[in-house]
Amino acid sequence: MSCRGGNEYLQCGVEASKDQRDFSVPMAILADLKITQVAAGGMHSMALTDEGHVWTWGQPLCDFTNVSQRRPSRLIYPEVGIIKKVAAGAFHNLALREDGIVLSWGRNDYGQLGSGTTKFSSTPTVVPKLEDVKVTNIAASGWHSLILTDRGEVYAWGRGEYGRLGLGEDCSSKLFASKMELPGNDRIVQ
């Protein structure tokens, strides 16, 4: 895998020299791993391996010391398990486990973690209130999150001004996953 671009927070996974901070040419990282998916957030990056392991680098989420993670490191927590998809928001992450459980961690100013609070989490935590649905896809935006179910249903949570959650209302935030009402019998497939 290779990265390039702005590297002020080491989000390229390569330590910069005092003469060169950013990289306009690809820089190899995680060369010994088979990467199946990547996700780029506001000041951090993630990679998912073929074995379901998540690697992160750049500005650590919820770490306000401004000390960036200099090299990619594997996310190791018992609740993580085997991951099949990842998504990066501006300052939060989502991961979909192979058993359909959704995890979230990072900043939570607007409830984008779906935890029912606005407290940030530096460790992956199960997103509640999704027990009755089979999640097939995840997406993270600046300050909100979305999931897709096997029935073509979409759930959203997080920052909601201007109707950005698609819930038919102009709300400030939704702290738990809320189902979108789609017109007619519409189903979303991806």
Side-chain angles (χ1 to χ4, degrees), residues 7-162:
N7 196 39
E8 60 270 31
Y9 302 102
L10 302 176
Q11 64 266 43
C12 286
V14 179
E15 190 152 357
S17 69
K18 68 178 184 178
D19 297 327
Q20 181 181 15
R21 182 191 77 181
D22 303 329
F23 298 99
S24 58
V25 295
M27 303 298 290
I29 64 168
L30 301 173
D32 56 338
L33 299 174
K34 184 176 178 188
I35 304 301
T36 59
Q37 186 190 356
V38 295
M43 301 182 302
H44 69 288
S45 303
M46 291 192 302
L48 178 64
T49 71
D50 62 337
E51 296 178 334
H53 301 152
V54 177
W55 290 74
T56 65
W57 60 93
Q59 179 68 36
L61 304 171
C62 309
D63 181 351
F64 304 106
T65 63
N66 289 322
V67 177
S68 294
Q69 218 172 288
R70 300 201 175 280
R71 301 200 188 291
S73 64
R74 186 171 154 207
L75 193 63
I76 302 176
Y77 293 98
E79 59 276 357
V80 171
I82 303 299
I83 301 300
K84 67 179 190 178
K85 293 188 181 194
V86 292
F91 307 103
H92 76 290
N93 293 322
L94 298 178
L96 177 59
R97 286 192 333 208
E98 67 179 352
D99 62 2
I101 299 293
V102 178
L103 304 171
S104 65
W105 69 101
R107 299 272 313 248
N108 196 26
D109 306 73
Y110 301 96
Q112 61 264 41
L113 299 184
S115 61
T117 73
T118 54
K119 290 183 175 184
F120 66 83
S121 175
S122 59
T123 60
T125 306
V126 173
V127 177
K129 306 214 179 267
L130 296 174
E131 299 83 9
D132 296 331
V133 298
K134 182 178 179 189
V135 179
T136 59
N137 210 345
I138 55 175
S141 186
W143 293 277
H144 65 280
S145 303
L146 302 142
I147 59 116
L148 176 65
T149 73
D150 64 337
R151 293 186 218 134
E153 301 164 328
V154 178
Y155 288 74
W157 62 92
R159 192 171 185 177
E161 293 99 346
Y162 314 110

